[in-house]
Structure formats: structure tokens, C-alpha cells
Amino acid sequence: MWAPIMWESRRFGRGARMLGLAHIASGEAKYARAACQRLASVSKWDPEGSSHLSHNEEAHMSVIWDGPAACDWVGDHFTDDERAAVIEQFRRRGQLTYEHLHDRDRGSYGVARFDSHAGRESIFLAMVAFVFHEHLPEAREWLDWLRPVLCGLWPLWAGDEGAWAEGLSYGLAYVTIMTLCATALKRGAGVQRPFWRNHAAWRQWCWPAYAEWIGFGDHSERWANSWESNADLVELIDRETGADAFGGYIDALRSEAAHMATPGERNMPGVNPQGYLAARSTLQQAPPQAPSSICTPKSERRNLSVFPAAARRQFPARSLPLSQQRLLLAHRRLGPAATEDQGQRPVALAVPPPASSSGALSEPCSAPATLL
């Protein structure tokens, strides 16, 4: 029974995010209202009920996976009652996730446990905290704990489940999920890690476009959506790191995918919105100046131009309010942060290379003194 619930809840949440993307791309309120209605509907689910972590972890994750971005993009269009219900839903699900990652019997994620699902649940928790930080006092505690986990230890692919599961296929999903947090860190605080370019190179060498079977982990079948998603991830990394070194590999993957199929139950419609948000010139963009939230009027938001003419994918030339990726600035309140305006350089944190399928870091991670 869990499988139908997983796929149906994922599609429902993904649909809300896609409606949010349609709204910010077109400016049409009808898409925003449709997304709000979906999010308000999900907020009627009891976090302690049948979608609780202990009953159906997948349904819970479907809510906190795409929900925060969708809420951020359509927040101006919630009614007051809807907004209150949505905030409370994410507050409780965030708290349940935080408690789950600090399980009394199993231990804390990254210290005594390295299970696979916790590797994405920690990222979802970060996104909930980024988007709803002005409304959730608990967010500060979550971010205090997430800072060393996501900025110093991730990826935690070890133990009985991690390294086995996070092969080329599972790693594709998990690293793509982590790009949500990585993009927020980069756009909001100027934090970048050499892991990303190395990971794209690892994929190029271990997953050739012509491969008949990629092996190592579940779901290594030759499916079109796997090849397309791999191309999307590598392209995103190529743009965000400014490498501009994987174009041939990306094109080869997409060309090969055109002659492949995907099982119906695995065919998740839609696109990755970050493919439209990452510009080749992002390394040169000035950091945002002020955070905003789902309760900040659109007229007061600072827009970022994220549809450059040079982008490979074409959307209407307009500015997109990415408050989700700007909220990180608010968390500099947790301690003094190094900024370019202060003439300070990031603090180099020597982090041992992770023992994972993604390869070793070629140099220490660089991060400001306070990351979140």
C-alpha cells in the first residue's frame, strides 16, 4: 500500500511546485491559487496520523520535499486561514523530522546513524527552516544542528544502508535534493564546496551516455528519465560552479534518452525548476541584500534576474522572486558572518574527504564562519 501512496503524494506535491513555477514565470494568479489550494489541502493531513513518519515516511517526505518552495513562490496568494494552516502544518512536520533525526534509540544522524532516508530528510528540514524561519521559533534550533551536518559532514554515505544505496541512481536523487540547500547557501551566503564539480566529473566517468547498465545500487536500469535527470543534475552543477566543462556529456545523455523509455509508474511529469534558475554567470552575481518570507508583500520583495539570455532553456525574460534562496541571510543573526562588504575572506574548514561513491574532495571546504 505504501507504494501507491508514495507516488500519488509525490505527484500531488510536485504539482503544487510546478503550479508555483508557472505562476512566477507567467505572473498569472490562477496558477498561484491552484497551488495554494493544493497546499491548503495537504495541510488538512494530520502530521501525527496516517502520514506520520512511523506509518508512512514517504507521504511525510512528499509534503516537506516540494512544499516549502511552492509555499515561498505563491505565498502572496494564500488566504489568512490558509496561511495559518500551512505554517502550522510545516511547523509540526519540521519538529517531527528534527525529532526523528535525533531518535533516542537509533541515535543522531551523522553521529551514530547514517541511514539513507535521513540523508534527504535533513535537507527537507533545512528548506522548511529557510522558508518559514520568521514564523517558526524552532527553526533556529534546527539550523544550529543542520549547520555542521549539511555544511561539514554531508554526504554521510556510510553504514549499512548509505554507501550501498547511494550509488549512481540513488545518488542522482539525493544529490539533486541537496542542490536545493546548496543553491540557497551559494545565493544567500556565498558558500560553495569543491564537492560539486568533482561529483559531476565522477558521474561523467562512471555513467557514460552509452551505458547499457550502470550497476551499483537499486534502479540502475536504462530508463529515459534517469538519463534525463542525470543530464539535468550535471548541467545544474556545471552552471552553478562556473565550470562550463560538461556540455558534451550533457548533450550526449539527452540524445541517448530520446531513444529510451520509462516505466509508467516511474514517469514523474514536470521539470526541475532549478534548471531555469541557474545562470552561467551566477558566480558574478551580487549576494541578495534582504530576506523575505511567505508573508512579505510582493511589492516589497527584491527580485533577482534569473532568466539570462544565455540560458540554454528559455523562459520569458522577467525577474523571479527567489525569497526561498534569500532567507539564508536572516540566519546570519546566529553569529558574525563574513561578507565581501566587510573585506573578510571565507574561513577554510578542513573536512576529511567523505568515504562515499561520489569521490574525495580535492581541497578543503570553504565556508563563512557562520553558514546558516
Side-chain angles (χ1 to χ4, degrees):
M1 183 176 182
W2 68 269
I5 293 175
M6 175 182 73
W7 290 114
E8 289 172 13
S9 61
R10 279 190 192 178
R11 289 189 177 96
F12 196 76
R14 191 66 45 86
R17 188 183 70 173
M18 291 306 302
L19 287 165
L21 182 65
H23 163 62
I24 56 179
S26 68
E28 294 192 35
K30 64 181 180 180
Y31 298 120
R33 278 304 303 155
C36 289
Q37 289 167 356
R38 285 199 175 207
L39 294 162
S41 175
V42 168
S43 295
K44 295 178 182 179
W45 297 1
D46 182 3
E48 312 269 1
S50 60
S51 61
H52 186 271
L53 278 159
S54 63
H55 297 303
N56 195 321
E57 194 176 23
E58 291 291 352
H60 171 85
M61 288 192 290
S62 293
V63 177
I64 60 176
W65 187 335
D66 296 308
C71 288
D72 187 53
W73 293 342
V74 303
D76 299 320
H77 295 268
F78 283 117
T79 67
D80 291 342
D81 289 343
E82 287 173 341
R83 181 178 290 107
V86 166
I87 291 173
E88 177 56 24
Q89 169 84 181
F90 281 96
R91 184 198 68 78
R92 188 64 188 122
R93 289 200 181 274
Q95 191 61 41
L96 288 170
T97 303
Y98 180 74
E99 293 169 358
H100 173 68
L101 295 170
H102 295 77
D103 188 87
R104 180 177 300 177
D105 298 323
R106 301 175 66 188
S108 294
Y109 177 64
V111 178
R113 54 182 280 211
F114 308 93
D115 50 298
S116 180
H117 282 190
R120 50 177 146 145
E121 289 162 346
S122 56
I123 301 165
F124 299 152
L125 180 61
M127 303 315 295
V128 171
F130 288 166
V131 171
F132 295 97
H133 78 281
E134 291 183 337
H135 314 285
L136 305 180
E138 302 91 338
R140 178 165 183 164
E141 181 182 4
W142 302 344
L143 290 166
D144 274 339
W145 173 72
L146 285 165
R147 178 173 56 191
V149 173
L150 295 182
C151 303
L153 298 176
W154 190 94
L156 299 176
W157 294 343
D160 293 337
E161 299 176 355
W164 170 82
E166 271 59 80
L168 285 159
S169 179
Y170 266 52
L172 173 60
Y174 278 64
V175 174
T176 298
I177 290 169
M178 182 57 179
T179 63
L180 299 171
C181 184
T183 299
L185 286 168
K186 177 191 171 184
R187 302 293 181 87
V191 177
Q192 296 192 81
R193 293 181 58 186
F195 163 83
W196 292 103
R197 189 181 302 190
N198 291 347
H199 184 77
W202 175 77
R203 289 192 165 275
Q204 182 179 29
W205 290 112
C206 295
W207 187 337
Y210 56 79
E212 294 294 331
W213 180 73
I214 57 177
F216 189 29
D218 288 351
H219 306 310
S220 60
E221 296 85 351
R222 190 174 162 84
W223 293 339
N225 69 340
S226 297
W227 262 243
E228 292 165 352
S229 296
N230 192 31
D232 289 347
L233 173 59
V234 174
E235 182 178 32
L236 179 61
I237 295 172
D238 202 31
R239 291 186 186 186
E240 290 285 19
T241 62
D244 199 21
F246 300 97
Y249 176 54
I250 295 164
D251 291 340
L253 286 167
R254 289 181 175 146
S255 177
E256 197 73 20
H259 306 286
M260 299 159 64
T262 303
E265 69 276 8
R266 292 271 168 188
N267 192 15
M268 186 76 68
V271 298
N272 181 357
Q274 289 180 277
Y276 298 101
L277 310 185
R280 294 190 183 280
S281 60
T282 50
L283 290 175
Q284 305 302 321
Q285 290 180 353
Q289 300 301 311
S292 60
S293 76
I294 67 168
C295 289
T296 303
K298 184 181 295 183
S299 61
E300 298 177 12
R301 293 189 179 186
R302 176 182 181 272
N303 289 340
L304 296 177
S305 296
V306 294
F307 295 116
R312 294 176 63 145
R313 306 182 187 197
Q314 298 299 314
F315 253 30
R318 55 176 285 123
S319 294
L320 180 66
L322 287 180
S323 58
Q324 172 198 0
Q325 296 174 2
R326 301 202 304 273
L327 287 173
L328 192 55
L329 290 179
H331 298 292
R332 290 187 175 183
R333 294 176 297 185
L334 301 179
T339 65
E340 291 182 5
D341 293 339
Q342 295 170 327
Q344 296 175 306
R345 295 183 59 81
V347 178
L349 303 178
V351 179
S356 73
S357 59
S358 54
L361 298 178
S362 59
E363 58 189 272
C365 300
S366 293
T370 51
L371 302 180
L372 301 179

